[in-house]
Amino acid sequence: MATRTDAPTRREQILKEAARLFAERGFHGVGVDEIGAAVGISGPGLYRHFAGKDAMLAELLVGISGQLLTGAKRRVAEADGGAGAEAVLDSLIEGHIDFALDDRPLITLHDRELDRLRDSDRKMVRQLQRQYVELWVGVVREVYPGLGEPAARSAVHSVFGLLNSTPHLGRAGSLPGRAATAELLHRMARGAFAAAEV
């Protein structure tokens, strides 16, 4: 099983560059030749890895939705060893902040290009996202029992909106640094949940 320290595969390199280019210039503003050039292969060479740009887009958006859900389930399972609901919620928030800070192009891509997916892929993204939200809702209601289910769900969506605003925070150099930004986002997320309960 690959770990974060493993060198990325050629396929992962292609997806990373495709996400960056699609986010910068839009799905239709990028050709396969440009994606290939970004990873040092010919445009037609991409077809050894993907059927085309549509397949890349689908793998990016379905893939990140699946990764977020899998990561959240893992965090909850790891906490079953005795960590309280507060620790589980903090872990979920940390995981989403990692995504929001490290995968900013995917957030932009999701916002702009989700409607370009085939119906089946778009439905898969939505299904994975609903499961992710419901996992959070359960944990949030344990930590904030005064929140009813609809209010907890609204709060979760609001916190996602906050955390997923990272592409709009400015250029990387204009932020206070990754650790400080992560800490600020974490405090704001917890504050939003606490305010929702009141």
Side-chain angles (χ1 to χ4, degrees):
M1 181 173 176
T3 65
R4 283 191 157 211
T5 58
D6 291 342
T9 65
R10 174 64 78 181
R11 188 177 181 84
E12 290 167 340
Q13 291 171 345
I14 292 167
L15 287 172
K16 182 176 180 176
E17 289 304 314
R20 181 184 64 78
L21 290 167
F22 293 158
E24 286 175 3
R25 299 208 302 272
F27 180 73
H28 288 302
V30 178
V32 292
D33 289 338
E34 294 169 272
I35 298 169
V39 294
I41 61 176
S42 69
L46 289 178
Y47 294 109
R48 287 193 299 269
H49 302 277
F50 296 95
K53 285 194 328 180
D54 290 337
M56 288 180 222
L57 181 64
E59 187 159 332
L60 285 165
L61 296 182
V62 173
I64 193 56
S65 297
Q67 289 170 31
L68 284 169
L69 177 59
T70 299
K73 286 180 176 178
R74 179 184 43 76
R75 288 171 181 272
V76 169
E78 287 172 355
D80 280 345
E86 295 258 356
V88 175
L89 181 57
D90 285 333
S91 181
L92 288 174
I93 292 169
E94 288 164 11
H96 199 96
I97 288 171
D98 285 344
F99 156 68
L101 291 176
D102 299 339
D103 293 309
R104 292 165 72 177
L106 288 177
I107 296 171
T108 301
L109 196 58
H110 179 276
D111 289 347
R112 289 187 194 157
E113 311 291 355
L114 182 64
D115 288 343
R116 299 197 189 284
L117 292 180
R118 294 178 309 178
D119 284 345
S120 60
D121 291 326
R122 192 168 50 253
K123 285 178 184 173
M124 177 59 72
V125 168
R126 293 296 190 205
Q127 178 185 17
L128 293 166
Q129 289 174 339
R130 278 192 300 273
Q131 291 175 48
Y132 184 61
V133 167
E134 293 310 309
L135 188 148
W136 275 67
V137 167
V139 174
V140 167
R141 291 193 70 206
E142 281 186 60
V143 177
Y144 302 99
L147 277 178
E149 191 171 310
R153 190 170 292 108
S154 293
V156 167
H157 281 289
S158 296
V159 166
F160 288 168
L162 166 73
L163 300 179
N164 291 345
S165 69
T166 55
H168 310 290
L169 294 178
R171 287 168 288 165
S174 66
L175 299 176
R178 191 190 189 288
T181 301
E183 184 181 333
L184 174 63
L185 289 171
H186 196 116
R187 283 198 319 270
M188 291 175 72
R190 285 304 296 263
F193 286 131
E197 185 179 40
V198 172

